[in-house]
Every structure is written in structure tokens, then in C-alpha cells.
Amino acid sequence: MTADLAHDLRTPLSILSGYAEGLKEGRLNGSPAIYTIMHDEVQHLERLVDDLRTLSLADAGELPLNRRTVDPAALIERTALAHYIRAEAQGVAVSVEAGADLPNVFVDTDRMTQVLNNLVGNALTHTAAGEIHLTAHTQGDSVALTVQDAGAGIAPEDLPFVFDRLYRGDKARQRSPEGSSGLGLAIAKAIVEAHGGTIAVASTVGKGTTFTITLPSARE
């Protein structure tokens, strides 16, 4: 992980160093395009540092959670709405289905939204057409939230490692055009487990991927 992390840090630092040196020596003239690139790389470094801090807090059992009782249907509806514009622009439909008489869950809404946003964002990145389906249903004494896409799928040899930090075999973990840190799924797992839940993945190449989050219900 340290070697992979060094690689992730070295790339934006090399870009920033190259442009800064060129500007200092007068080989480059400042322009909005250059400043935009440099700003994007700084933001990437900031996201990486923030994500590493989140993981370190989770490892230490000190991840702060502001938990409250929440309707799980509201969680997936909020997530679908947040990604509506991007999905529409890509020609991808996002649907929501919630079971009847769902029990509430006791979660940090912002943290759980972070997890769902990561999953739906990944699904949109790897789904060229079709539908992304979000569901919430009871599963014994728990509530299951699923994000199912019709994308490229994940190769069987990569599937056991998708939640590993900075794992590079899985193309979904590579740095995205949006400049994500590549730690999104590891953070999702850490957040879900901090809530006493689990997260699992199933995938078929060429047909799509389904992530399932299982959380304890808040039944009294």
C-alpha cells in the first residue's frame, strides 16, 4: 500500500512541479488552462489526504458518526436525485424501488450518502447505456440497500479485491477523470462496517455489477 500510495502522490506532485518550474524559469507563460490543471492537481492531493484520514480514523475505531434514525427509502431517493442530471446527460435511467413497511436504520446520513454516492458515481462511470437500479428491502432483521448497474462488469479475478485500498487490477479503482483518490470503495467498506453493517459485490462481465449494503434495522 505504501508503494501504491507513493505512486498516487508522485503523479500530481510531478505535474505541479513541472508547471511550477516552467513558470518560474519563464519557459511557460501563465494561462487559465495551466492554472486550471494545477488547481485540479491540488484538489486531487487534498482528496487523497482527506480519504487517507478517513481510513486512518476508521482503522482506529474513531470515525465520528452523527447517527440518527432514518428511512432507508429516503436515502436511496436522495442519492438518485443527486445523480439525475448526470445520468440524464449520459442517457442512463436511474430507478428507485423500496419495499413496503421498511424498518428505519440508525445511521450517519452524510456518511451513508457518501457511500451511496460513490457506488452510483462508479456505476455511471462504467455504464454507457441502460439502467441503474437502487433498491431498499428487508433482509431478516436487517435492511439491504443495493445499487445495480448494467455496465461493463468486473473481471472474476478482480472481484475479491475491489474493496482493497489502491488495488490496481480492478479498472474501477483507477483514477477517474474526476480525479478521485482511488480509495472510494475502501472508504465505503470502512463506513458501512463502522455502522455494524456489511457491503458485498457481485458482478458478471458484460452484464453489470451489484453492490449490496446490509445494515441493522432500528426496530424498537
Side-chain angles (χ1 to χ4, degrees):
M1 179 181 173
T2 302
D4 284 340
L5 179 57
H7 176 276
D8 275 55
L9 289 169
R10 186 180 297 114
T11 299
L13 286 172
S14 295
I15 293 171
L16 287 168
S17 177
Y19 278 110
E21 185 176 323
L23 290 168
K24 178 183 177 182
E25 295 177 354
R27 291 184 286 104
L28 293 175
N29 294 319
S31 70
I34 288 177
Y35 299 144
T36 296
I37 292 172
M38 296 178 73
H39 182 256
D40 288 347
E41 294 305 321
V42 170
Q43 287 188 313
H44 174 59
L45 285 170
E46 289 176 342
R47 280 190 291 267
L48 182 58
V49 171
D50 287 343
D51 287 350
L52 287 169
R53 174 168 171 74
T54 298
L55 285 173
S56 69
L57 288 172
D59 285 346
E62 297 176 357
L63 184 66
L65 296 176
N66 182 22
R67 299 173 73 165
R68 63 187 181 90
T69 301
V70 178
D71 178 1
L75 283 175
I76 60 173
E77 288 167 0
R78 174 181 175 180
T79 303
L81 185 61
H83 293 272
Y84 173 79
I85 298 299
R86 179 184 173 189
E88 185 179 47
Q90 291 183 204
V92 175
V94 179
S95 64
V96 174
E97 180 183 351
D101 300 322
L102 276 175
N104 290 327
V105 289
F106 189 55
V107 300
D108 183 318
T109 305
D110 290 338
R111 290 291 190 186
M112 201 52 60
T113 298
Q114 179 184 353
V115 172
L116 291 168
N117 280 340
N118 177 269
L119 298 180
V120 175
N122 281 349
L124 282 168
T125 297
H126 299 283
T127 302
E131 182 180 55
I132 295 172
H133 192 49
L134 282 69
T135 69
H137 60 273
T138 55
Q139 187 172 292
D141 293 330
S142 302
V143 174
L145 308 177
T146 67
V147 176
Q148 180 179 21
D149 66 50
I154 301 170
E157 62 270 24
D158 292 327
L159 208 55
F161 308 105
V162 295
F163 297 109
D164 289 359
R165 301 169 188 188
L166 300 170
Y167 178 66
R168 298 188 181 281
D170 175 11
K171 303 303 184 291
R173 303 301 304 283
Q174 301 293 341
R175 185 177 175 185
S176 71
E178 294 80 13
S180 67
S181 68
L183 293 168
L185 291 178
I187 289 174
K189 183 174 184 287
I191 291 173
V192 171
E193 290 181 348
H195 283 84
T198 62
I199 184 170
V201 59
S203 186
T204 302
V205 173
K207 294 187 177 180
T209 301
T210 300
F211 284 90
T212 302
I213 299 167
T214 305
L215 298 167
S217 67
R219 292 189 190 276
E220 296 182 357

